[in-house]
Amino acid sequence: NSTVSGNSASYVGGIYSDGSATATTLNFSTVASNTAVNEAGGLFQDLTAGGSSVIKNTIVADNSAPT
């Protein structure tokens, strides 16, 4: 269980997964109320190296970014 909440950044306010050909797993977690000035307020998965995100039983809400 994890909570990522109330963070802010220029890029990716919450969680950034770098695409390192492994899976980022969120289970019974909350990613909420994060903001980014440019992109990806809550969760960003970089797919360039084949990574993936598995999200189960998780709340992702009220994150904001322009793109």
Side-chain angles (χ1 to χ4, degrees):
N1 300 349
S2 297
T3 299
V4 178
S5 179
N7 299 292
S8 62
S10 292
Y11 292 90
V12 191
I15 298 172
Y16 175 84
S17 180
D18 72 358
S20 60
T22 59
T24 297
T25 302
L26 296 173
N27 195 16
F28 294 102
S29 298
T30 301
V31 180
S33 302
N34 299 290
T35 59
V37 174
N38 294 296
E39 63 184 10
L43 173 66
F44 182 83
Q45 174 64 58
D46 185 348
L47 300 175
T48 56
S52 64
S53 291
V54 178
I55 301 171
K56 298 181 193 177
N57 307 304
T58 294
I59 297 167
V60 179
D62 297 323
N63 298 291
S64 62
T67 60

